[in-house]
Amino acid sequence: MSSNAERRLLKDLKKMQEDTTNDSIQAAPREDSLFEWEAVLFGPSDTIWEGGMFTLILEFSDEYPNKPPKVKFTTKMFHPNIYNDGRLCLDILNTNWSPVYDVSSILTSI
């Protein structure tokens, strides 16, 4: 039997695969674990990040969606909201987390 977290992650994956409207984000689980995802953000047009490709790792616990994932850039980034080790300082991943957020909305917020 699958856990609530597994069911929710499969639902999030299906949503990511079916959404053809947002080509600036991509995410999928690593081959060996549904609880660890790789994501790619493409820099938005008309910004200093235009043309960039930025990779992240999302780590989910078995308490997802009640607890947020750990999100970390693997691409070296210089930004006030990104720590030297790639972790993010983002309110929806900390104090303002809600189970209504899914993988797509997390990546869109980033």
Side-chain angles (χ1 to χ4, degrees):
M1 180 172 2
S2 62
S3 68
N4 287 337
E6 289 172 315
R7 284 191 293 275
R8 173 60 185 271
L9 286 166
L10 288 170
K11 181 179 174 185
D12 289 1
L13 177 60
K14 183 177 180 184
K15 180 181 176 186
M16 290 291 302
Q17 291 171 335
E18 292 175 348
D19 183 8
T20 58
T21 61
N22 191 350
D23 58 356
S24 64
I25 60 173
Q26 296 177 358
R30 288 190 163 176
E31 290 182 23
D32 57 341
S33 174
L34 183 61
F35 288 90
E36 190 170 315
W37 289 40
E38 294 177 330
V40 178
L41 304 178
F42 297 97
S45 300
D46 301 321
T47 70
I48 62 170
W49 296 285
E50 182 175 11
M53 186 173 97
F54 311 98
T55 57
L56 303 98
I57 297 291
L58 292 86
E59 295 178 348
F60 300 89
S61 73
D62 58 357
E63 296 181 73
Y64 180 76
N66 295 318
K67 299 253 176 153
K70 293 178 184 177
V71 181
K72 184 177 178 178
F73 274 93
T74 55
T75 302
K76 195 73 171 160
M77 297 287 293
F78 180 75
H79 190 278
N81 291 355
I82 302 173
Y83 298 109
N84 287 337
D85 66 357
R87 289 179 301 118
L88 291 161
C89 178
L90 186 63
D91 61 345
I92 69 162
L93 295 175
N94 297 305
T95 57
N96 292 333
W97 174 254
S98 170
V100 300
Y101 294 125
D102 59 12
V103 172
S104 179
S105 62
I106 293 167
L107 294 174
T108 300
S109 294
I110 295 171

